[in-house]
Amino acid sequence: MPATDDFTVTPYAVEGDIDYDRLLDEFGAESLTTEQKAQFPQPVHQLIRRDVFYAGRDVDAFLAAANEGKTHSIVTGRGPSGPIHIGHIIPFYFAKYLQDQTGCLVYIPLSDDEKYLLKDKSLDEIHGHTRENLLDILAVGFDPERTRIVVDTADADVVYPLAAAFAKEVTQSTVDATYGDPENIGLSFYPAVQAAHLLLPQLVEGRHPTLVPIAVDQDPHVRVCRDIAAKQRYDVSKPGALLSKFLPALEGPGKMSSSGDAASIRLSDDRETVFEKIRNHAYSGGRRSVESHREHGGDPEVDVPYQFLYYFFEKSDERVERLAREYRDGSLLSGELKEIAAASIADFLEAHQNRREELGPVADELKQYRLRESERQAARKQAGYPSTRVF
């Protein structure tokens, strides 16, 4: 796992100023090409256009299936260890965009078991976060006919048998080399659970291209799963990966976090709170004085409010380029840029919160997204188990 004097990127820790190109060398992934970007649905999403999703594996197979109207799927999940912030929700809105444009299947696993193993939280606390996170995911507005949400502990009848089958394909030395020394035996087993998540669409629907849009720190899960699929003991293809950069932390380099004392913008934040956090906590690329900024300009490449707009919250390329140009020449001040970013984020959150408020109880809403009994049986059968329970 990449861990240098400059930065650290693992599934469980991200620190420092990340060199994304060096990560590709370490992980063996490839940058997205201009030709690949052009194959995404038109208009190409800003996350692709602006190289936020900047690299991947086997992306071509997914794009070909999407453009030919063949079965294809997305897997993007959530570890429910706390409230969701804006960095967590972006991949779900990207998956929703692809589903709207191409009709892809979307599978959403919630790894409540992993978070219990990893965090100093009770099962009851994790359960509470799971319920709240589910409401935010449901508020994105996925098509229930083409979306399945799987909660590990609630869907153990399908997740555990698959994980047990896949665990036999992974050695402890592979886990240690990929993840480092796990804190407990549960985390040693978890890569097999993650493989169950990533291969589940194919076990239910048959062999087809699957794409996993994830932040680059989660890539080890995909690599282990691809090794399992490559052994060809199951009728599945290796899942592809679409790797993203991190939405910056409010206070500067590193990914936005929902833990500890670091400020983050949560999906539950009201408009006033968003403005307060951006004004008081967002790292600025501007100068120390208005006079100096007018003379020398600011640096949008390190300015967090600008990066929020660039990553996701400003769809217009023309406007985002104009803001960068005006910031560099000093005609746009740091405070003005913060107000623009805060307004865009607050508008997004208000729309999301309104959709969430329209939802009923989470158990009722979730019913239409859960695996059907026939789908559970199909997955078990493909993994070599009886299609129905023996006992």
Side-chain angles (χ1 to χ4, degrees):
M1 298 302 300
T4 72
D5 293 337
D6 303 320
F7 66 91
T8 298
V9 175
T10 77
Y12 306 125
V14 176
E15 299 173 355
D17 192 4
I18 294 119
D19 184 332
Y20 289 103
D21 291 332
R22 196 194 313 180
L23 282 179
L24 295 191
D25 292 336
E26 293 280 352
F27 290 167
E30 297 181 350
S31 299
L32 291 182
T33 66
T34 301
E35 292 75 17
Q36 286 173 322
K37 294 176 189 177
Q39 292 301 308
F40 279 87
Q42 301 293 327
V44 177
H45 197 281
Q46 66 263 30
L47 290 171
I48 299 293
R49 296 197 311 267
R50 299 173 189 166
D51 289 327
V52 178
F53 280 113
Y54 78 112
R57 293 188 186 82
D58 289 346
V59 175
D60 289 335
F62 175 87
L63 293 173
N67 289 319
E68 293 168 11
K70 297 179 180 178
T71 301
H72 58 294
S73 63
I74 289 283
V75 180
T76 185
R78 166 72 182 142
S81 61
I84 294 183
H85 63 55
I86 55 175
H88 295 140
I89 204 65
I90 287 174
F92 293 104
Y93 275 95
F94 178 71
K96 167 72 161 56
Y97 160 82
L98 287 177
Q99 186 176 73
D100 289 345
Q101 296 298 315
T102 73
C104 65
L105 302 168
V106 175
Y107 275 63
I108 303 172
L110 274 79
S111 53
D112 55 341
D113 50 349
E114 182 210 22
K115 292 307 174 186
Y116 174 68
L117 295 167
L118 188 63
K119 303 290 185 178
D120 185 20
K121 295 179 182 291
S122 69
L123 287 168
D124 190 56
E125 287 178 292
I126 296 295
H127 179 68
H129 291 314
T130 301
R131 292 177 62 85
E132 292 301 310
N133 288 185
L134 277 169
L135 286 170
D136 276 318
I137 292 169
L138 291 167
V140 174
F142 291 103
D143 176 1
E145 293 301 315
R146 306 190 67 78
T147 306
R148 294 294 177 263
I149 298 176
V150 176
V151 180
D152 283 352
T153 57
D155 294 294
D157 64 309
V158 64
V159 172
Y160 178 76
L162 300 182
F166 300 145
K168 197 171 183 178
E169 313 292 343
V170 184
T171 65
Q172 186 62 45
S173 60
T174 296
V175 173
D176 293 344
T178 306
Y179 298 93
D181 187 18
E183 294 181 14
N184 53 61
I185 61 172
L187 289 176
S188 291
F189 182 75
Y190 185 71
V193 178
Q194 186 69 274
H197 296 160
L198 302 186
L199 296 178
L200 186 57
Q202 296 188 68
L203 296 174
V204 171
E205 300 289 342
R207 188 184 185 106
H208 66 262
T210 296
L211 190 66
V212 187
I214 48 173
V216 68
D217 61 326
Q218 299 300 303
D219 183 61
H221 296 315
V222 179
R223 298 206 308 274
V224 171
C225 182
R226 285 169 61 84
D227 288 345
I228 293 171
K231 294 180 180 180
Q232 299 182 344
R233 298 185 188 179
Y234 311 97
D235 188 19
V236 295
S237 59
K238 293 190 289 187
L242 189 62
L243 305 178
S244 81
K245 301 173 184 176
F246 301 117
L247 186 73
L250 267 175
E251 296 174 342
K255 75 171 184 177
M256 183 175 287
S257 172
S258 57
S259 60
D261 298 326
S264 62
I265 299 176
R266 298 179 174 181
L267 297 191
S268 57
D269 286 345
D270 60 23
R271 196 172 196 88
E272 181 179 350
T273 301
V274 172
F275 273 83
E276 184 275 330
K277 287 182 176 180
I278 293 291
R279 289 167 179 162
N280 297 329
H281 298 286
Y283 185 84
S284 172
R287 303 288 176 169
R288 292 185 176 275
S289 68
V290 171
E291 293 76 15
S292 178
H293 188 91
R294 293 293 191 198
E295 181 179 357
H296 301 289
D299 183 0
E301 298 302 318
V302 301
D303 190 277
V304 169
Y306 176 80
Q307 290 300 312
F308 286 172
L309 292 167
Y310 183 86
Y311 271 54
F312 184 75
F313 294 99
E314 175 52 61
K315 292 183 179 181
S316 168
D317 288 345
E318 181 181 358
R319 187 176 189 225
V320 84
E321 290 167 5
R322 175 173 57 80
L323 291 172
R325 184 171 60 252
E326 292 176 353
Y327 198 56
R328 288 191 184 97
D329 68 24
S331 59
L332 179 66
L333 300 176
S334 295
E336 295 170 334
L337 185 53
K338 285 185 175 185
E339 296 298 295
I340 293 169
S344 294
I345 295 169
D347 289 346
F348 170 83
L349 290 183
E350 284 181 348
H352 179 89
Q353 291 161 6
N354 288 338
R355 289 191 297 273
R356 176 176 163 143
E357 289 173 1
E358 293 173 356
L359 296 173
V362 64
D364 294 343
E365 295 287 347
L366 186 59
K367 286 178 182 177
Q368 58 187 330
Y369 293 94
R370 298 196 71 180
L371 288 166
R372 312 309 192 240
E373 184 58 33
S374 61
E375 294 167 342
R376 294 170 187 269
Q377 293 177 9
R380 289 170 56 89
K381 184 176 181 180
Q382 287 295 324
Y385 287 89
S387 59
T388 56
R389 296 177 184 144
V390 178
F391 304 106

